[in-house]
Amino acid sequence: MTLDLFEKFDPILNDYNSLPEGAENPFTVSMEKVLSPTTAIINGRETILAGTNNYMGMTFNAECMAAAQKALTDFGTGTTGSRVLNGTYNSHKQLEETLKEFYDCQHAIVFSTGYQANLGVISTLAGPKDYVVIDTDSHASIYDGCAMGNATVVRFKHNDPDNLDKRLNRIRRDDPEAGILVVLEGVYSMLGDQAPLKELTRISKNHNAYVLVDEAHSIGVFGETGRGVAQEQDVEDQIDFIIGTFSKSVGTIGGYCVSNHPKFEALRLVCRPYIFTASLPPSVVASATKALELIASTNLRSKLLDNSMRLNKGLCDVGFNMGTTGESPIAAIVIDDQNTAIAFWGEMIKEGVYVNLALPPATPNRMNLMRCSLSAAHSFAQIDFMLEKFTLVGKRLGILQDKVARIQNLA
Amino acid sequence: MTQNVDEIFERICTLLKPFNKKDIAIGKDTAFSIDLELDSLTVMDMLSEIEDEFDITIPLNMLPDLETVGQFTDAVHKLLSE
Ligand SMILES: Cc1ncc(COP(=O)(O)O)c(C=O)c1O
């Protein structure tokens, strides 16, 4: 008897099939119309988008749209080629120039997604005799970059400098000459916590390791000119490679890596996820270039963080168990029971708020999260609407007791 | 400081106690996923504790080959004698 290749998915399919049907299923929902960076029509109803990663509200920016439309008219819908075979237009080079200016650095390479930037850079830089040292809570693209490469992979405990130090010590003890790449994230996306880059880079440099920081969730959001957490914590000169994405603050799609390493351009010759995939379409390149200029010149960061603080504080005050503190654009409540979390998501969408349901293994410490990623484009009225609906659903599902009961319980 | 396999096995069993929720008897054939019902994340956490206990580097790359306590013991033994 031949084996069914799909048999191994039976457990996950069983879970999937037990999900609620129709409008309340988080994995089948789709948007009928997108009205703005913060609103869409879903299930025929106007819905507030509370989990988009659209931190700057850049997706409908008039200047970015005009630039994209012009590029579409002038250069067509796609490049139909890799960066090394037909797929490099002047605008791709211009975008790389813009990135170099944005980061004030020597080299920039644009990839087709942030996922591919991590896959490509990590798997290529760290070869068979090298080590990659990653944080436990790293994004899937970092784990996959490790899996694709041939280096020895070692994990350290999330954001724990001593734990990193121990591991680097052991590697150096056993192999004084090894090349070591330490991979960090500026902001860890699930709970919005920042890496303590000062300590982590100091330790890495003590052991002569290279440091790569993925600023996917921090570009535009932190730092004086929006470069991210490395800028915010004033350690940019200690960082060898910064990776980022255009799919969040920049409002389109694409990834990049910037560096001052004198031989950095070699990656264009050897990095397979750069070479063996088509380059970004001209309209995407044009809007990304414009958005980077806007991020460097306008400051929407305080509005964004005010929005986040307002929602975080509100959720905490009504008695939710918080996963976040409000110091990043993320607001997430922790729900103990997975089925309650799934039901919570369904109730929220019925009430007109689209939040993100985040479940293990994508979450740290196996948490079930109802997660919002806020935007500078949200109004306080929208934030208050989210809060009202969170509270309503929390009470409906018995997660929140009403205030009187809570006070009585405390007494 | 080379240790014999039985000593290593004993120390690993001690480390496994908090992960052994159903309090089953642990032998060298005990499998992390099937017998102890540990998911891959928990196995990685455990790996980290074993690294610190024995002061060794256990690369993540080795994980797919470490399904049982016995295999883990042998791997640690090998790493310690290198
Ligand atoms: C930390 C991190 N790195 C990389 C990515 C991938 O970015 P992209 O959407 O450009 O593939 C993400 C997005 O989910 C991320 O959170």
Side-chain angles (χ1 to χ4, degrees):
Chain A
M1 199 183 76
T2 50
L3 282 176
D4 180 359
L5 290 176
F6 281 80
E7 198 177 301
K8 51 181 153 313
F9 307 129
D10 284 352
I12 197 163
L13 269 181
N14 284 340
D15 283 354
Y16 181 78
N17 290 331
S18 68
L19 287 172
E21 292 196 5
E24 288 155 59
N25 185 325
F27 300 103
T28 56
V29 66
S30 61
M31 308 199 194
E32 287 127 48
K33 215 171 162 192
V34 179
L35 307 173
S36 75
T38 60
T39 49
I41 307 286
I42 298 174
N43 304 323
R45 181 187 208 293
E46 183 163 337
T47 302
I48 293 184
L49 303 174
T52 58
N53 300 318
N54 199 350
Y55 297 126
M56 301 292 126
M58 209 56 95
T59 48
F60 281 81
N61 179 280
E63 289 180 67
C64 294
M65 286 172 78
Q69 275 157 354
K70 182 163 182 346
L72 185 66
T73 308
D74 294 351
F75 292 93
T77 50
T79 68
T80 67
S82 139
R83 284 298 301 275
V84 293
L85 291 172
N86 304 293
T88 295
Y89 294 7
N90 277 350
S91 59
H92 293 88
K93 290 190 173 169
Q94 178 55 48
L95 175 54
E96 286 170 343
E97 289 304 315
T98 305
L99 277 168
K100 287 194 236 172
E101 271 168 45
F102 186 84
Y103 281 102
D104 189 19
C105 74
Q106 306 284 318
H107 304 283
I109 298 184
V110 168
F111 290 79
S112 296
T113 66
Y115 180 86
Q116 281 162 302
N118 271 329
L119 271 194
V121 173
I122 296 170
S123 68
T124 313
L125 277 181
K129 293 192 179 130
D130 305 322
Y131 287 78
V132 191
V133 182
I134 64 172
D135 185 290
T136 338
D137 289 358
S138 293
H139 187 258
S141 56
I142 294 172
Y143 274 96
D144 293 355
C146 293
M148 190 171 141
N150 298 310
T152 302
V153 185
V154 176
R155 292 188 333 155
F156 70 97
K157 204 162 153 197
H158 177 56
N159 276 352
D160 186 333
D162 290 340
N163 198 272
L164 172 66
D165 193 39
K166 261 193 216 162
R167 276 151 185 76
L168 290 174
N169 252 323
R170 283 181 202 136
I171 294 171
R172 274 283 169 253
R173 180 195 63 196
D174 298 342
D175 194 346
E177 316 258 276
I180 306 178
L181 178 66
V182 175
V183 181
L184 309 169
E185 290 177 41
V187 167
Y188 286 84
S189 62
M190 281 299 139
L191 300 178
D193 50 329
Q194 288 190 14
L197 291 182
K198 267 228 155 73
E199 288 99 310
L200 297 175
T201 51
R202 185 179 49 75
I203 289 165
S204 304
K205 293 294 154 187
N206 279 347
H207 296 283
N208 269 326
Y210 288 88
V211 179
L212 182 160
V213 179
D214 181 340
E215 298 265 27
H217 287 268
S218 25
I219 176 183
V221 177
F222 292 105
E224 203 187 326
T225 58
R227 286 187 208 160
V229 172
Q231 186 180 37
E232 175 104 352
Q233 296 186 9
D234 195 19
V235 290
E236 285 179 299
D237 59 341
Q238 297 298 305
I239 294 184
D240 302 283
F241 311 97
I242 288 179
I243 280 191
T245 175
F246 303 142
S247 72
K248 306 181 197 300
S249 286
V250 180
T252 177
I253 186 169
Y256 60 87
C257 182
V258 299
S259 175
N260 283 323
H261 194 288
K263 298 182 189 165
F264 188 66
E265 299 287 331
L267 282 183
R268 292 189 205 269
L269 308 174
V270 291
C271 181
R272 298 166 67 90
Y274 173 80
I275 300 168
F276 292 100
T277 195
S279 64
L280 289 171
S283 53
V284 165
V285 172
S287 70
T289 308
K290 182 46 90 182
L292 283 171
E293 290 167 14
L294 293 173
I295 286 172
S297 63
T298 43
N299 188 344
L300 297 172
R301 292 181 284 286
S302 54
K303 168 66 178 144
L304 172 61
L305 294 175
D306 284 352
N307 278 348
S308 179
M309 193 48 94
R310 189 179 181 94
L311 183 60
N312 270 283
K313 188 169 177 313
L315 291 170
C316 184
D317 286 350
V318 295
F320 280 111
N321 180 12
M322 299 302 294
T324 52
T325 55
E327 279 153 35
S328 79
I330 315 297
I333 63 167
V334 184
I335 300 181
D336 294 334
D337 173 60
Q338 184 154 322
N339 288 325
T340 310
I342 293 167
F344 202 112
W345 188 92
E347 294 297 313
M348 288 298 280
I349 201 84
K350 278 199 285 183
E351 295 293 340
V353 184
Y354 189 160
V355 297
N356 290 332
L357 171 69
L359 301 175
T363 53
N365 305 321
R366 296 164 195 78
M367 289 192 266
N368 306 301
L369 300 175
M370 297 302 300
R371 176 178 170 276
C372 302
S373 59
L374 295 162
S375 173
H378 283 127
S379 64
F380 276 171
Q382 287 177 315
I383 303 283
D384 294 345
F385 184 84
M386 294 174 205
L387 185 57
E388 182 195 322
K389 298 304 183 186
F390 261 103
T391 310
L392 184 77
V393 173
K395 284 185 183 158
R396 191 179 292 159
L397 296 181
I399 295 172
L400 287 183
Q401 300 166 313
D402 60 46
K403 222 176 190 154
V404 180
R406 251 197 305 145
I407 291 165
Q408 278 168 352
N409 275 357
L410 286 177
Chain B
M1 185 198 65
T2 39
Q3 298 192 9
N4 74 43
V5 176
D6 292 335
E7 275 170 23
I8 295 170
F9 175 71
E10 286 307 317
R11 279 169 76 187
I12 290 180
C13 288
T14 311
L15 279 176
L16 275 174
K17 276 208 181 101
F19 297 98
N20 186 1
K21 295 268 154 52
K22 293 193 306 178
D23 230 3
I24 61 168
I26 294 181
K28 290 202 174 155
D29 291 339
T30 307
F32 297 111
S33 60
I34 301 166
D35 302 318
L36 290 168
E37 297 179 11
L38 302 181
D39 59 23
S40 61
L41 297 175
T42 313
V43 177
M44 286 200 271
D45 289 347
M46 193 190 67
L47 182 122
S48 170
E49 290 194 18
I50 294 180
E51 281 185 318
D52 286 348
E53 167 75 18
F54 292 96
D55 194 23
I56 49 174
T57 300
I58 310 176
L60 213 52
N61 322 49
M62 286 175 68
L63 210 54
D65 299 325
L66 304 178
E67 284 176 11
T68 65
V69 179
Q71 288 167 344
F72 227 120
T73 305
D74 293 342
V76 171
H77 179 68
K78 187 157 170 281
L79 286 164
L80 279 172
S81 33
E82 264 169 15

